[in-house]
Amino acid sequence: MDNQNIELITRLVIEAMQKQTAAGDGYLVPVGVSARHVHLTQEHLEILFGKGYQLTRKKELMGGQFASNEQVTIVGLKLRAIENVRILGPCRSASQVEISATDAVRLGVRAPIRQSGDLKGSAPIAVVGPKGVLYLEEGCIVAQRHIHMSPADAMAAGVSNGQEVAVRADNDRGTVFQHVIIRVDESFQLEMHLDTDEANAAGIGPGSTVRIVK
């Protein structure tokens, strides 16, 4: 690493630490509420939408991901369905359906709480598209709450990739979330992801923040 990059990283860390110090006790993190969504392999996308189909972009997300215009219906074991579930791109090496615990009850599936990509032994689910139907023997999860961070933010907060922390919401509910996974990557922007159940229970909405209180 050359001196210019070292100076840049050092400056970013110092600026982040100064902002956090001014903000008060605990490292301040903005919150994003993650609604139910689907990730697909290219093979599975083509089963649902037709041979050679490509996702079209609706909104750019962090880490090179995007919300697509394409939506599907997910169906549980008791033939209970939820329509208009958005697909996130780009395509992945394994298909995955992320829902809330309330969705799991509605669908009649036993979706475990897992980190994204940890699918072994997860719940089965069916996905219905305009051109076909896909049955996943495993792949349906409730996403474990987590915080996306850049390396500079992780250094300033004193945390590392894969670490579990607790965070506190300083609002009327005063909720403390345990078992929050830190995820660090150069492409990430600082943001905690909660599902809709967690956000509603804690009184968290757009523009909310939490503090890391390890």
Side-chain angles (χ1 to χ4, degrees):
M1 185 179 295
D2 59 37
N3 290 336
Q4 185 176 3
N5 286 333
I6 292 173
E7 290 175 0
L8 175 59
I9 291 173
T10 301
R11 179 169 56 81
L12 291 173
V13 171
I14 291 173
E15 288 177 356
M17 292 179 69
Q18 289 173 339
K19 289 178 182 178
Q20 294 298 324
T21 300
D25 178 42
Y27 198 81
L28 195 65
V29 180
V31 179
V33 180
S34 182
R36 65 180 79 97
H37 59 272
V38 175
H39 300 278
L40 294 172
T41 65
Q42 181 61 36
E43 176 187 0
H44 288 168
L45 176 66
E46 293 185 16
I47 289 173
L48 297 175
F49 287 86
K51 188 68 175 177
Y53 194 88
Q54 298 293 317
L55 294 172
T56 58
R57 295 174 182 260
K58 177 180 176 67
K59 180 182 178 181
E60 297 298 324
L61 305 173
M62 74 173 67
Q65 295 190 92
F66 60 90
S68 75
N69 292 296
E70 287 72 23
Q71 296 177 312
V72 293
T73 297
I74 55 176
V75 184
L77 297 180
K78 298 181 180 179
L79 298 182
R80 298 171 182 169
I82 297 177
E83 300 179 331
N84 303 319
V85 181
R86 193 166 303 281
I87 301 172
L88 301 190
C91 288
R92 291 190 173 188
S93 59
S95 293
Q96 165 177 317
V97 178
E98 297 183 36
I99 60 175
S100 70
T102 298
D103 291 338
V105 172
R106 177 177 171 183
L107 292 167
V109 299
R110 295 184 177 180
I113 298 173
R114 297 280 184 82
Q115 291 191 61
S116 180
D118 181 7
L119 304 178
K120 186 175 179 59
S122 58
I125 193 83
V127 185
V128 182
K131 299 290 187 179
V133 178
L134 172 68
Y135 178 72
L136 300 175
E137 293 185 357
E138 56 185 19
C140 184
I141 64 171
V142 175
Q144 184 170 0
R145 57 184 76 112
H146 56 277
I147 298 175
H148 291 280
M149 283 186 165
S150 68
D153 280 313
M155 187 180 298
V159 297
S160 58
N161 187 52
Q163 181 178 347
E164 282 195 15
V165 299
V167 305
R168 182 183 69 240
D170 292 326
N171 58 16
D172 292 342
R173 293 292 179 93
T175 307
V176 175
F177 293 99
Q178 304 282 351
H179 310 300
V180 182
I181 301 296
I182 299 295
R183 296 171 60 180
V184 181
D185 190 89
E186 291 281 1
S187 64
F188 288 163
Q189 297 173 347
L190 183 64
E191 188 172 68
M192 180 177 180
H193 283 181
L194 297 174
D195 67 29
T196 50
D197 282 357
E198 294 169 318
N200 289 338
I204 290 174
S208 295
T209 57
V210 294
R211 295 184 186 278
I212 296 176
V213 290
K214 304 178 288 180

